[in-house]
Amino acid sequence: MSRKLFGTDGIRGTANQEPVTAETALAIAKATGREFVRGDYRHTVVIGKDTRLSGYMLESALMAGFISVGMDVVLLGPVPTPAVGMLTRSMRADLGVMISASHNPYQDNGIKIFGPDGYKLSDEVERAIEARINSGDAKLAPAHQLGRAERLEGAFGRYIEFVKSSFPRGLRLDGMKVVVDCANGAAYRVAPKVLYELGAEVVPVGVYPDGFNINQRCGATEPGRMQEAVVTHGADFGIALDGDADRAILADEKGNVVDGDQVMALIARSWQESGRLAGGAIVATVMSNLALERYLTGIGLDLIRTPVGDRYVVERMRSGGYNVGGEQSGHIVLSDFATTGDGLIAALQILAVVVQSDRPASKVTQLFDPFPQLLRNVRFNGGAPLEDEAVQAAIRAGEERLGAGGRLVIRKSGTEPLIRVMAEGEDDALVEEVVAEICDIIEARAGDKPAKLRRAGSAGAE
């Protein structure tokens, strides 16, 4: 059975419209709870959220659903997604749930579910949950076995200490001025505090959430505000997190963007030199630049590619025993520390290299020049545009034009009604022509309105 509710990163959509309604959240909680009630003991689920207004609605519905099948609920309040994964394991909970639509605007929301090991659920388990929902198989607990709910007031404090422990022992950020843009999202309290406690002078941006301004002209998807603040304040480094802080786009002291590909390359080299890198390779998606692959080959490392989505990166890391992986868009997974992408931990690893090198970030973080790469998103009205014969013919023609020195990646977004068209190669003009031609065909056959083009190294979503 295919999954209909779950996409590449949980369940996501417009708040108060299917599938992101209170009714569906209640059904999801009951079905998921029943799937994980596996013994005669008190079962527990921890629930975190970002700062969207709709989080209150979904939090209450999920809480009621889990309690109704006999699970105790621990409410974490606004915390980053990786904090939910960490606390699920730390507290020996049976489940963790994050209410967030990540980089999407406030109108959207979503539900991400973690198993007792702190990792996101597999496709197989998600299918089993959907089967329970479809069959109505969510046996309610008798009155004496109903769950209870409590709020863990110190959740963000636990996460702060966890993140600080990832920074090399004995190293400090004293003398460093760091801009951190929290996107008015889940990290608005924890990120500035972590940096301050490690010794940095902190310039906070996007730390006044109001339920509506998450990711609004700020954060990892629009890092310009962070870049401008770095230059204005004469900072040494910049960090732009997304709404749930599972990814980050960085900037050097000149305000130049450091994207996920550069971050993975620098961590891979650093960990290789210290003997810490596992498996002689890193894991990245098909969106990562060819220049990253060539750089890694040059230092004796392999690049293993997966479909887009940090869950697929994590699955390949776990199956192959690798400890560094991620996405160009800034999801960096360092399994020595976390079970999912963690923007703050990734930023600290780069800051550690900068401090230890005693050089400006601009001299440390740009390890290679990316190939010309262009991504364009085409919104569509429904159906299956990629199965259209004219679209398929345009794709084949584009692949032939790019040849062996380029790549073409075309896929349907797992979180929005978009077709993402990405091409890269050594000839910038050819890349632009190929993308334009394919997008024109898609728009003519199934399009709504085109989104803007995105160059390699920018912060668009994967």
Side-chain angles (χ1 to χ4, degrees):
M1 186 188 76
S2 63
R3 298 171 303 155
K4 295 183 178 179
L5 277 175
F6 291 91
T8 56
D9 195 17
I11 298 162
R12 192 177 301 185
T14 303
N16 223 23
Q17 296 180 23
E18 288 296 343
V20 189
T21 64
E23 291 82 3
T24 300
L26 180 69
I28 291 166
K30 290 193 294 185
T32 306
R34 290 302 307 170
E35 184 70 18
F36 281 84
V37 172
R38 299 171 176 174
D40 187 18
Y41 65 93
R42 298 297 301 184
H43 291 74
T44 302
V45 55
V46 298
I47 302 178
K49 62 181 181 179
D50 63 24
T51 57
R52 298 163 207 269
L53 179 64
S54 56
Y56 293 102
M57 173 187 73
L58 296 174
E59 181 184 57
S60 297
L62 289 166
M63 178 173 65
F66 285 118
I67 287 174
S68 74
V69 295
M71 297 191 83
D72 292 337
V73 175
V74 179
L75 300 175
L76 306 177
V79 294
T81 288
V84 174
M86 181 274 290
L87 287 167
T88 300
R89 288 201 302 183
S90 174
M91 298 176 67
R92 295 184 66 186
D94 299 276
L95 283 169
V97 179
M98 180 65 182
I99 303 167
S100 176
S102 190
H103 60 273
N104 288 28
Y106 87 90
Q107 296 95 329
D108 294 343
N109 215 330
I111 298 169
K112 305 178 186 183
I113 305 175
F114 296 82
D117 57 2
Y119 287 94
K120 293 177 183 176
L121 301 184
S122 66
D123 291 353
E124 180 182 4
V125 174
E126 289 179 348
R127 283 192 290 268
I129 292 170
E130 288 203 27
R132 284 184 181 272
I133 293 173
N134 294 333
S135 67
D137 180 17
K139 181 181 178 182
L140 299 180
H144 69 282
Q145 290 181 354
L146 289 172
R148 299 176 173 85
E150 64 175 321
R151 188 168 295 278
L152 183 62
E153 299 295 343
F156 73 94
R158 290 197 189 193
Y159 178 67
I160 285 171
E161 291 305 315
F162 166 73
V163 172
K164 286 166 57 182
S165 71
S166 71
F167 201 61
R169 187 183 301 273
L171 203 62
R172 297 279 298 172
L173 296 176
D174 297 333
M176 294 280 289
K177 182 185 286 189
V178 180
V179 172
V180 59
D181 180 350
C182 301
N184 293 309
Y188 78 98
R189 290 188 295 179
V190 300
K193 198 167 182 63
V194 165
L195 294 165
Y196 175 79
E197 291 184 2
L198 287 173
E201 179 184 348
V202 182
V203 180
V205 175
V207 291
Y208 297 102
D210 60 10
F212 304 99
N213 61 0
I214 188 170
N215 300 314
Q216 189 177 79
R217 297 186 296 278
C218 60
T221 52
E222 297 192 43
R225 187 176 175 188
M226 175 269 289
Q227 295 172 263
E228 183 179 348
V230 167
V231 175
T232 299
H233 292 275
D236 301 291
F237 200 75
I239 304 167
L241 302 167
D242 70 340
D244 67 336
D246 64 352
R247 65 172 167 144
I249 293 294
L250 311 180
D252 63 27
E253 80 285 357
K254 298 178 181 179
N256 298 319
V257 159
V258 182
D259 71 5
D261 284 349
Q262 298 282 0
V263 169
M264 286 187 284
L266 185 53
I267 292 175
R269 189 185 72 181
S270 174
W271 285 22
Q272 178 194 37
E273 291 172 351
S274 64
R276 185 172 186 172
L277 186 69
I282 70 170
V283 181
T285 76
V286 293
M287 299 298 287
S288 279
N289 200 279
L290 270 173
L292 169 63
E293 189 169 348
R294 294 190 179 183
Y295 173 80
L296 292 172
T297 300
I299 60 173
L301 301 177
D302 293 327
L303 177 66
I304 298 169
R305 293 188 184 269
T306 74
V308 171
D310 65 308
R311 60 179 294 166
Y312 301 115
V313 171
V314 172
E315 288 172 2
R316 187 67 182 89
M317 290 173 65
R318 295 181 75 185
S319 66
Y322 307 108
N323 60 352
V324 176
E327 297 184 283
Q328 185 188 72
S329 61
H331 285 107
I332 307 298
V333 184
L334 305 174
S335 59
D336 287 1
F337 305 118
T339 58
T340 188
D342 192 312
L344 196 50
I345 285 180
L348 288 181
Q349 293 301 303
I350 300 302
L351 275 168
V353 175
V354 172
V355 171
Q356 290 168 331
S357 72
D358 196 27
R359 294 187 295 161
S362 60
K363 302 295 184 183
V364 177
T365 56
Q366 300 295 335
L367 298 182
F368 57 85
D369 294 324
F371 278 37
Q373 185 186 75
L374 189 63
L375 172 67
R376 183 171 168 182
N377 298 323
V378 182
R379 191 170 295 275
F380 64 97
N381 293 316
L386 295 184
E387 296 178 11
D388 184 275
E389 290 185 9
V391 172
Q392 291 182 357
I395 292 171
R396 289 193 295 270
E399 289 174 336
E400 290 178 6
R401 293 187 66 190
L402 289 170
R407 287 194 314 135
L408 187 59
V409 179
I410 301 175
R411 66 183 182 86
K412 181 181 176 182
S413 169
T415 58
E416 300 174 83
L418 299 174
I419 300 297
R420 304 194 192 278
V421 180
M422 189 279 283
E424 68 179 351
E426 298 180 359
D427 186 333
D428 200 352
L430 177 59
V431 166
E432 288 197 25
E433 289 177 11
V434 168
V435 170
E437 289 169 3
I438 294 172
C439 289
D440 286 346
I441 293 293
I442 295 174
E443 288 167 13
R445 307 294 286 194
D448 181 2
K449 55 182 180 180
K452 62 183 179 181
L453 284 78
R454 176 166 71 86
R455 286 289 176 185
S458 69
E462 290 205 355

PDB file of all heavy atoms in Angstrom, residues 140-158:
ATOM      1  N   LEU A 140      -9.646   2.113  21.695  1.00  0.00           N
ATOM      2  CA  LEU A 140      -9.512   3.076  22.778  1.00  0.00           C
ATOM      3  C   LEU A 140      -9.245   2.361  24.098  1.00  0.00           C
ATOM      4  O   LEU A 140      -9.697   1.227  24.323  1.00  0.00           O
ATOM      5  CB  LEU A 140     -10.780   3.930  22.891  1.00  0.00           C
ATOM      6  CG  LEU A 140     -11.134   4.757  21.651  1.00  0.00           C
ATOM      7  CD1 LEU A 140     -12.415   5.550  21.901  1.00  0.00           C
ATOM      8  CD2 LEU A 140      -9.996   5.686  21.278  1.00  0.00           C
ATOM      9  N   ALA A 141      -8.522   3.043  24.963  1.00  0.00           N
ATOM     10  CA  ALA A 141      -8.191   2.474  26.267  1.00  0.00           C
ATOM     11  C   ALA A 141      -9.400   2.557  27.195  1.00  0.00           C
ATOM     12  O   ALA A 141     -10.198   3.499  27.097  1.00  0.00           O
ATOM     13  CB  ALA A 141      -7.013   3.228  26.875  1.00  0.00           C
ATOM     14  N   PRO A 142      -9.556   1.593  28.106  1.00  0.00           N
ATOM     15  CA  PRO A 142     -10.619   1.720  29.108  1.00  0.00           C
ATOM     16  C   PRO A 142     -10.340   2.907  30.019  1.00  0.00           C
ATOM     17  O   PRO A 142      -9.208   3.401  30.088  1.00  0.00           O
ATOM     18  CB  PRO A 142     -10.547   0.394  29.861  1.00  0.00           C
ATOM     19  CG  PRO A 142      -9.181  -0.144  29.597  1.00  0.00           C
ATOM     20  CD  PRO A 142      -8.784   0.349  28.240  1.00  0.00           C
ATOM     21  N   ALA A 143     -11.339   3.363  30.715  1.00  0.00           N
ATOM     22  CA  ALA A 143     -11.241   4.595  31.500  1.00  0.00           C
ATOM     23  C   ALA A 143     -10.076   4.584  32.485  1.00  0.00           C
ATOM     24  O   ALA A 143      -9.395   5.600  32.677  1.00  0.00           O
ATOM     25  CB  ALA A 143     -12.553   4.847  32.240  1.00  0.00           C
ATOM     26  N   HIS A 144      -9.812   3.442  33.086  1.00  0.00           N
ATOM     27  CA  HIS A 144      -8.756   3.401  34.102  1.00  0.00           C
ATOM     28  C   HIS A 144      -7.352   3.364  33.492  1.00  0.00           C
ATOM     29  O   HIS A 144      -6.359   3.478  34.209  1.00  0.00           O
ATOM     30  CB  HIS A 144      -8.958   2.196  35.030  1.00  0.00           C
ATOM     31  CG  HIS A 144      -8.723   0.868  34.363  1.00  0.00           C
ATOM     32  ND1 HIS A 144      -9.659   0.286  33.525  1.00  0.00           N
ATOM     33  CD2 HIS A 144      -7.664   0.009  34.413  1.00  0.00           C
ATOM     34  CE1 HIS A 144      -9.199  -0.869  33.087  1.00  0.00           C
ATOM     35  NE2 HIS A 144      -7.986  -1.066  33.608  1.00  0.00           N
ATOM     36  N   GLN A 145      -7.262   3.200  32.169  1.00  0.00           N
ATOM     37  CA  GLN A 145      -5.944   3.141  31.518  1.00  0.00           C
ATOM     38  C   GLN A 145      -5.656   4.362  30.639  1.00  0.00           C
ATOM     39  O   GLN A 145      -4.698   4.367  29.882  1.00  0.00           O
ATOM     40  CB  GLN A 145      -5.853   1.871  30.665  1.00  0.00           C
ATOM     41  CG  GLN A 145      -5.784   0.595  31.487  1.00  0.00           C
ATOM     42  CD  GLN A 145      -5.659  -0.648  30.631  1.00  0.00           C
ATOM     43  OE1 GLN A 145      -5.741  -0.578  29.399  1.00  0.00           O
ATOM     44  NE2 GLN A 145      -5.457  -1.799  31.269  1.00  0.00           N
ATOM     45  N   LEU A 146      -6.483   5.394  30.722  1.00  0.00           N
ATOM     46  CA  LEU A 146      -6.221   6.609  29.959  1.00  0.00           C
ATOM     47  C   LEU A 146      -4.871   7.206  30.339  1.00  0.00           C
ATOM     48  O   LEU A 146      -4.411   7.074  31.486  1.00  0.00           O
ATOM     49  CB  LEU A 146      -7.321   7.636  30.210  1.00  0.00           C
ATOM     50  CG  LEU A 146      -8.693   7.329  29.598  1.00  0.00           C
ATOM     51  CD1 LEU A 146      -9.714   8.332  30.102  1.00  0.00           C
ATOM     52  CD2 LEU A 146      -8.620   7.346  28.084  1.00  0.00           C
ATOM     53  N   GLY A 147      -4.232   7.868  29.379  1.00  0.00           N
ATOM     54  CA  GLY A 147      -2.946   8.502  29.658  1.00  0.00           C
ATOM     55  C   GLY A 147      -3.095   9.800  30.424  1.00  0.00           C
ATOM     56  O   GLY A 147      -4.200  10.308  30.645  1.00  0.00           O
ATOM     57  N   ARG A 148      -1.972  10.353  30.798  1.00  0.00           N
ATOM     58  CA  ARG A 148      -1.923  11.641  31.490  1.00  0.00           C
ATOM     59  C   ARG A 148      -1.050  12.596  30.681  1.00  0.00           C
ATOM     60  O   ARG A 148      -0.291  12.160  29.814  1.00  0.00           O
ATOM     61  CB  ARG A 148      -1.350  11.493  32.901  1.00  0.00           C
ATOM     62  CG  ARG A 148      -2.158  10.584  33.815  1.00  0.00           C
ATOM     63  CD  ARG A 148      -1.451  10.421  35.161  1.00  0.00           C
ATOM     64  NE  ARG A 148      -2.255   9.687  36.133  1.00  0.00           N
ATOM     65  CZ  ARG A 148      -2.306   8.370  36.228  1.00  0.00           C
ATOM     66  NH1 ARG A 148      -1.574   7.621  35.396  1.00  0.00           N
ATOM     67  NH2 ARG A 148      -3.060   7.768  37.130  1.00  0.00           N
ATOM     68  N   ALA A 149      -1.121  13.864  30.994  1.00  0.00           N
ATOM     69  CA  ALA A 149      -0.299  14.857  30.285  1.00  0.00           C
ATOM     70  C   ALA A 149       0.425  15.738  31.281  1.00  0.00           C
ATOM     71  O   ALA A 149      -0.107  16.074  32.353  1.00  0.00           O
ATOM     72  CB  ALA A 149      -1.163  15.720  29.377  1.00  0.00           C
ATOM     73  N   GLU A 150       1.642  16.116  30.925  1.00  0.00           N
ATOM     74  CA  GLU A 150       2.416  17.069  31.729  1.00  0.00           C
ATOM     75  C   GLU A 150       3.286  17.897  30.801  1.00  0.00           C
ATOM     76  O   GLU A 150       3.563  17.506  29.671  1.00  0.00           O
ATOM     77  CB  GLU A 150       3.286  16.348  32.759  1.00  0.00           C
ATOM     78  CG  GLU A 150       4.363  15.468  32.139  1.00  0.00           C
ATOM     79  CD  GLU A 150       5.284  14.863  33.172  1.00  0.00           C
ATOM     80  OE1 GLU A 150       5.623  15.571  34.142  1.00  0.00           O
ATOM     81  OE2 GLU A 150       5.673  13.692  32.995  1.00  0.00           O
ATOM     82  N   ARG A 151       3.704  19.039  31.271  1.00  0.00           N
ATOM     83  CA  ARG A 151       4.576  19.917  30.483  1.00  0.00           C
ATOM     84  C   ARG A 151       5.980  19.893  31.082  1.00  0.00           C
ATOM     85  O   ARG A 151       6.144  20.074  32.290  1.00  0.00           O
ATOM     86  CB  ARG A 151       4.025  21.346  30.468  1.00  0.00           C
ATOM     87  CG  ARG A 151       4.763  22.272  29.506  1.00  0.00           C
ATOM     88  CD  ARG A 151       4.013  23.573  29.309  1.00  0.00           C
ATOM     89  NE  ARG A 151       2.726  23.382  28.663  1.00  0.00           N
ATOM     90  CZ  ARG A 151       2.556  23.261  27.354  1.00  0.00           C
ATOM     91  NH1 ARG A 151       3.618  23.302  26.536  1.00  0.00           N
ATOM     92  NH2 ARG A 151       1.355  23.098  26.837  1.00  0.00           N
ATOM     93  N   LEU A 152       6.965  19.648  30.237  1.00  0.00           N
ATOM     94  CA  LEU A 152       8.358  19.622  30.677  1.00  0.00           C
ATOM     95  C   LEU A 152       8.947  21.017  30.506  1.00  0.00           C
ATOM     96  O   LEU A 152       9.347  21.415  29.411  1.00  0.00           O
ATOM     97  CB  LEU A 152       9.156  18.599  29.865  1.00  0.00           C
ATOM     98  CG  LEU A 152      10.624  18.411  30.252  1.00  0.00           C
ATOM     99  CD1 LEU A 152      10.756  17.891  31.676  1.00  0.00           C
ATOM    100  CD2 LEU A 152      11.313  17.455  29.274  1.00  0.00           C
ATOM    101  N   GLU A 153       8.961  21.770  31.581  1.00  0.00           N
ATOM    102  CA  GLU A 153       9.392  23.163  31.489  1.00  0.00           C
ATOM    103  C   GLU A 153      10.863  23.310  31.120  1.00  0.00           C
ATOM    104  O   GLU A 153      11.263  24.298  30.523  1.00  0.00           O
ATOM    105  CB  GLU A 153       9.119  23.874  32.826  1.00  0.00           C
ATOM    106  CG  GLU A 153       7.652  23.915  33.223  1.00  0.00           C
ATOM    107  CD  GLU A 153       6.798  24.723  32.280  1.00  0.00           C
ATOM    108  OE1 GLU A 153       7.354  25.516  31.492  1.00  0.00           O
ATOM    109  OE2 GLU A 153       5.560  24.562  32.299  1.00  0.00           O
ATOM    110  N   GLY A 154      11.683  22.339  31.459  1.00  0.00           N
ATOM    111  CA  GLY A 154      13.117  22.456  31.206  1.00  0.00           C
ATOM    112  C   GLY A 154      13.591  21.818  29.913  1.00  0.00           C
ATOM    113  O   GLY A 154      14.795  21.548  29.755  1.00  0.00           O
ATOM    114  N   ALA A 155      12.675  21.582  28.964  1.00  0.00           N
ATOM    115  CA  ALA A 155      13.052  20.869  27.737  1.00  0.00           C
ATOM    116  C   ALA A 155      14.139  21.606  26.980  1.00  0.00           C
ATOM    117  O   ALA A 155      15.131  21.005  26.540  1.00  0.00           O
ATOM    118  CB  ALA A 155      11.826  20.669  26.855  1.00  0.00           C
ATOM    119  N   PHE A 156      13.971  22.932  26.805  1.00  0.00           N
ATOM    120  CA  PHE A 156      14.965  23.651  26.005  1.00  0.00           C
ATOM    121  C   PHE A 156      16.305  23.714  26.711  1.00  0.00           C
ATOM    122  O   PHE A 156      17.359  23.771  26.085  1.00  0.00           O
ATOM    123  CB  PHE A 156      14.447  25.046  25.621  1.00  0.00           C
ATOM    124  CG  PHE A 156      14.403  26.051  26.728  1.00  0.00           C
ATOM    125  CD1 PHE A 156      15.449  26.920  26.945  1.00  0.00           C
ATOM    126  CD2 PHE A 156      13.282  26.143  27.550  1.00  0.00           C
ATOM    127  CE1 PHE A 156      15.408  27.858  27.966  1.00  0.00           C
ATOM    128  CE2 PHE A 156      13.231  27.083  28.565  1.00  0.00           C
ATOM    129  CZ  PHE A 156      14.293  27.933  28.780  1.00  0.00           C
ATOM    130  N   GLY A 157      16.296  23.678  28.056  1.00  0.00           N
ATOM    131  CA  GLY A 157      17.551  23.661  28.800  1.00  0.00           C
ATOM    132  C   GLY A 157      18.319  22.373  28.585  1.00  0.00           C
ATOM    133  O   GLY A 157      19.551  22.379  28.456  1.00  0.00           O
ATOM    134  N   ARG A 158      17.595  21.261  28.528  1.00  0.00           N
ATOM    135  CA  ARG A 158      18.253  19.979  28.251  1.00  0.00           C
ATOM    136  C   ARG A 158      18.899  20.004  26.867  1.00  0.00           C
ATOM    137  O   ARG A 158      20.014  19.517  26.663  1.00  0.00           O
ATOM    138  CB  ARG A 158      17.233  18.834  28.312  1.00  0.00           C
ATOM    139  CG  ARG A 158      16.701  18.511  29.683  1.00  0.00           C
ATOM    140  CD  ARG A 158      16.051  17.132  29.647  1.00  0.00           C
ATOM    141  NE  ARG A 158      15.340  16.818  30.862  1.00  0.00           N
ATOM    142  CZ  ARG A 158      14.898  15.594  31.168  1.00  0.00           C
ATOM    143  NH1 ARG A 158      15.111  14.598  30.312  1.00  0.00           N
ATOM    144  NH2 ARG A 158      14.248  15.364  32.282  1.00  0.00           N
TER     145      ARG A 158
END
